[in-house]
Amino acid sequence: MADDSAHPPPSSGVTRRALFKGAGAAAAAGAVFRSLDAVGEEDGPRTQGPGPGAVTLRVNGTERKVDVEPRETLLQTLRLPLELTGAKPVCDRGTCGACTVWIDGAPVYACSVLTVEAEGREVTTVEGLGTPAAPHPVQAAFVEHDALQCGFCTPGFVMSCAWAVKTHGKSLTAEQVRAACAGNLCRCGTYPHVIRAALAAARGAR
Amino acid sequence: MMRLPPFRYHAPRTAAEVATLLAGEGPEAMIVAGGTDLYPNMKRRHQMPKTLISLRHVDELRGVQMNGAVRLGANETLRALEWHGALKERLPALWTAVQSISTPLLRNMGTIGGNICLDTRCNYYNQNWEWRRAIDFCMKCEGTVCWTAPSSSICWAVNSSDSVPVFIALGATFTLVSHEGERTIPALAMFGEDGIEYLTKRKDEVLTHIDIPDQGTARSVYRKVRRRGAFDFPVAAVAARVALDGDRVADSTLVLNAVGPKPVVCEEAMAYLAGKPLSDEVVTEAARLAGRGAKPLDNTDHLSMWRKKVVQVETRRALEALRP
C-alpha cells in the first residue's frame, strides 16, 4: 500500500535476524526468539516487533520456520514464504472466505489471523487435506459433482465443507452445509453443486 | 493484499499483565482478541495502534460458569458460546444473538468481549482509505464532518452488536480491570452517546467478564433484521425480556440496537407494559411506543424510514413470542 514508505524501520529486527541466523541450529530458533523478546519473567508477556522475528508454525503436519513481522497475516505467510497458494487472497478482510484454512481443526479466515498468533497451533490448508493422487472425500466429491466453475473460491468451500463433514458425519444435512458455508462466497453461483458434493462426501458416496 | 500498519505486539498471559501493559503503553495501545473487527479496520487505516496487546494467551478470561447466574469470560469465542448446550437452554435470546453474528468462520475466531466492544459502523466509515479520502474523510476518522448528518456535532455511526441489546435486556453487568483496580458497571453504562466515543471503557481498561443475573421466570427473545440470512450486521434489532405475573407483565425490558450510535432502552414502552396482559392491542401499542425511540439515519444498508417501521414490527413479534 501507499503508506509502506512511511513505515518506521524495524527497531530490533536486524539484530534478531542476525542472531537467529548466527544461531544456526534451527531447533534453537524458538528459544532464541523467546530469550530476546521475553519481557520480565520467563512466564511474563512475550513481546515482538514491529520488526521481524522467528516464528515456528505447524502447517499440514510439518514444522515450518518463518521470519515475520507481527503485522504479517497467516494468509501472507502461507502464500509467500511457504508457497502454499491454495488459500486465496480476495477480499482480504474476513468477508469472502476464499482464504479459509483450519486452525486447530476449525475453519477461520487466514487473512485475519496474525502469523505470530498461529504459532503453537495446528494449521491445515487445502493442500494438507488431500493430494491429487489421494484426495480428501470432499475434494473427490467436488470433482465428481462439478462443484466449481472458475474455481477461485473452491479451496475455501472445500475447507468449510470438510469441516461440516467432520463435525456432523453421515447425518450431515443440506441446511448444515449451508450454515457451514455461510462465510464462503461464490460469484459463479455454484452453491447447489457444493451442497450436493458435501452431502455425497458425508455419505461416503462419490 | 492489504498490509496491516506496523505495530509492536505483546502476548500477556494474565489479565493483570494486560492491565500493566495498558498502563505502560498509554492510549496508543489497543487490545485485540479475535481480531476479526480490528484487523480489517487496521488494513483500511481506521485504527493504527502503535502497540497491540493480544488476549490470545489470557486463558483466565475464557470459560462459562453457570449456577443461578451466568458468568462469561470476555475472551471466550463466539463458537464456544454457540456450542454450549446449557447456555442455549438457559439464555436462548443470547444464543440466538451469538449464532447470528457473522459467519461460522468468524465465530471460530471472534470473542464475546469483541462483539461487545465492536466498532460502530457507517456507510461513510467502513470504506477503504482512498474512498474516504475522496470524500475528505468523516469526523469518526481523520475528517471533521459527519456525512450522514452534515450539521451534526456528533458521529452517527451505528452500534451494530448483536449481543449488546441482549445483555442490556438481561440486566447483565460488565467488569473492567485496569492497573488501578476493577469496576463493575451495568451493561448500558458501557455505551457512550456518539459513534466515536461509543464506549465508556477507558483506554487503560480491559473487559474481563460478563455477569448475567438469575432470570427467574423471565423469558427473553432477540430479533434481528438484516438483508442476507447467511450473514450480515443487523440494520435493526430488538431484545425483549418479560417476567409475567399470571398473564400480566410484572416487569419488562425492551432494547433496540443498530438504529443509532447507542443501544436504546424503550422506557416509555416498558412503563406502558407494566401490569398489562400481552394482548394484540397492548403489544401493538408497546411496539409503537418502542419505535418512537428509534431514530435511524441513512448510514446502513436499507432505507432509514423502512428500518424505523420495521423496528415496530419486530418489537411486536418479540412481545408476541413472550406470551404465556
Side-chain angles (χ1 to χ4, degrees):
Chain A
M1 282 192 61
D3 54 313
D4 270 359
S5 59
H7 294 152
S11 58
S12 56
V14 173
T15 313
R16 186 178 298 116
R17 266 183 302 189
L19 232 163
F20 170 52
K21 282 173 182 159
V32 169
F33 171 72
R34 276 185 182 279
S35 63
L36 274 176
D37 289 324
V39 170
E41 300 300 315
E42 172 69 21
D43 292 335
R46 209 177 92 180
T47 298
Q48 190 183 337
V55 171
T56 304
L57 295 177
R58 196 168 167 77
V59 183
N60 299 331
T62 308
E63 226 170 65
R64 306 290 296 264
K65 293 182 192 309
V66 290
D67 205 29
V68 298
E69 296 178 18
R71 65 168 164 160
E72 187 160 318
T73 63
L74 181 59
L75 180 61
Q76 291 173 314
T77 304
L78 289 172
R79 290 185 59 84
L80 295 171
L82 299 185
E83 297 191 41
L84 292 166
T85 54
K88 300 285 185 281
V90 180
C91 77
D92 209 15
R93 54 190 169 96
T95 297
C96 74
C99 66
T100 305
V101 300
W102 291 354
I103 291 188
D104 291 339
V108 299
Y109 299 112
C111 72
S112 300
V113 176
L114 300 183
T115 301
V116 293
E117 299 213 312
E119 191 167 36
R121 308 168 86 192
E122 191 71 42
V123 178
T124 309
T125 71
V126 72
E127 291 92 340
L129 217 53
T131 63
H136 182 278
V138 167
Q139 292 170 319
F142 265 58
V143 175
E144 187 72 23
H145 292 270
D146 197 20
L148 60 150
Q149 288 186 47
C150 85
F152 216 71
C153 68
T154 305
F157 270 100
V158 166
M159 296 309 286
S160 288
C161 287
W163 182 58
V165 169
K166 183 166 67 112
T167 304
H168 299 288
K170 282 187 188 301
S171 70
L172 183 69
T173 64
E175 200 44 53
Q176 287 166 336
V177 179
R178 282 190 202 99
C181 294
N184 298 86
L185 301 181
C186 169
R187 294 210 64 180
C188 306
T190 328
Y191 301 105
H193 290 210
V194 167
I195 293 165
R196 214 173 296 157
L199 292 176
R203 287 196 304 269
R206 298 264 304 263
Chain B
M1 279 186 274
M2 293 181 284
R3 297 191 81 181
L4 287 160
F7 52 84
R8 196 163 163 77
Y9 175 86
H10 294 289
R13 295 187 180 273
T14 65
E17 284 176 5
V18 174
T20 304
L21 283 165
L22 282 169
E25 294 285 347
E28 298 241 47
M30 286 185 80
I31 296 168
V32 64
T36 54
D37 189 35
L38 182 62
Y39 296 147
N41 275 2
M42 285 173 66
K43 285 182 181 177
R44 293 181 292 178
R45 278 37 180 186
H46 290 107
Q47 285 98 33
M48 295 178 65
K50 294 275 181 288
T51 304
L52 281 185
I53 299 167
S54 168
L55 303 185
R56 174 71 68 198
H57 299 291
V58 187
D59 292 335
E60 67 186 15
L61 299 187
R62 294 187 200 276
V64 177
Q65 293 169 28
M66 299 177 77
N67 37 52
V70 175
R71 172 172 286 193
L72 309 175
N75 199 28
E76 191 53 271
T77 63
L78 297 169
R79 175 180 59 147
L81 302 185
E82 181 185 359
W83 285 9
H84 196 291
L87 187 74
K88 178 181 179 181
E89 199 173 308
R90 180 82 71 85
L91 300 171
L94 180 64
W95 181 83
T96 304
V98 166
Q99 59 83 37
S100 80
I101 296 168
S102 192
T103 70
L105 307 177
L106 184 136
R107 294 194 296 277
N108 284 334
M109 310 162 73
T111 65
I112 191 66
N115 190 250
I116 291 167
C117 298
L118 183 75
D119 194 9
T120 52
R121 301 181 58 79
C122 176
N123 286 349
Y124 295 97
Y125 172 71
N126 297 101
Q127 304 287 350
N128 64 39
W129 187 85
E130 290 77 7
W131 191 101
R132 288 181 289 125
R133 183 181 56 178
I135 60 162
D136 205 18
F137 299 102
C138 76
M139 68 161 67
K140 185 162 161 67
C141 186
E142 297 189 60
T144 55
V145 176
C146 171
W147 293 112
T148 299
S151 62
S152 170
S153 60
I154 69 159
C155 162
W156 285 90
V158 174
N159 188 315
S160 307
S161 167
D162 287 297
S163 65
V164 159
V166 179
F167 284 132
I168 296 169
L170 298 179
T173 58
F174 297 151
T175 297
L176 303 163
V177 169
S178 74
H179 67 296
E180 292 171 345
E182 80 172 42
R183 62 183 179 121
T184 297
I185 59 173
L188 182 64
M190 180 76 150
F191 302 97
E193 297 296 331
D194 106 343
I196 298 171
E197 300 297 330
Y198 66 98
L199 289 180
T200 60
K201 180 182 88 63
R202 301 195 313 258
K203 291 205 184 289
D204 67 343
E205 288 178 319
V206 56
L207 173 63
T208 56
H209 55 270
I210 302 114
D211 283 305
I212 301 151
D214 190 337
Q215 295 295 301
T217 58
R219 290 181 302 134
S220 304
V221 293
Y222 175 67
R223 295 194 60 90
K224 168 177 183 172
V225 180
R226 53 179 168 178
R227 188 177 293 271
R228 296 175 297 186
F231 71 100
D232 253 333
F233 286 99
V235 294
V238 182
R241 182 192 63 89
V242 169
L244 292 169
D245 182 6
D247 67 342
R248 288 172 186 271
V249 175
D251 183 38
S252 69
T253 315
L254 284 175
V255 187
L256 312 178
N257 205 21
V259 289
K262 186 181 180 178
V264 179
V265 177
C266 308
E267 303 281 1
E268 206 180 352
M270 286 154 55
Y272 169 78
L273 280 171
K276 295 194 177 66
L278 292 172
S279 64
D280 286 354
E281 190 181 293
V282 168
V283 162
T284 303
E285 176 61 6
R288 188 186 69 82
L289 293 171
R292 295 204 330 205
K295 297 186 173 59
L297 300 181
D298 269 321
N299 59 344
T300 69
D301 193 8
H302 285 298
L303 289 174
S304 61
M305 288 312 295
W306 183 80
R307 286 163 61 215
K308 188 166 170 59
K309 284 181 191 164
V310 86
V311 161
Q312 291 188 33
V313 176
E314 293 300 329
T315 305
R316 179 171 56 73
R317 288 174 178 164
L319 290 171
E320 284 170 357
L322 293 172
R323 281 175 173 159

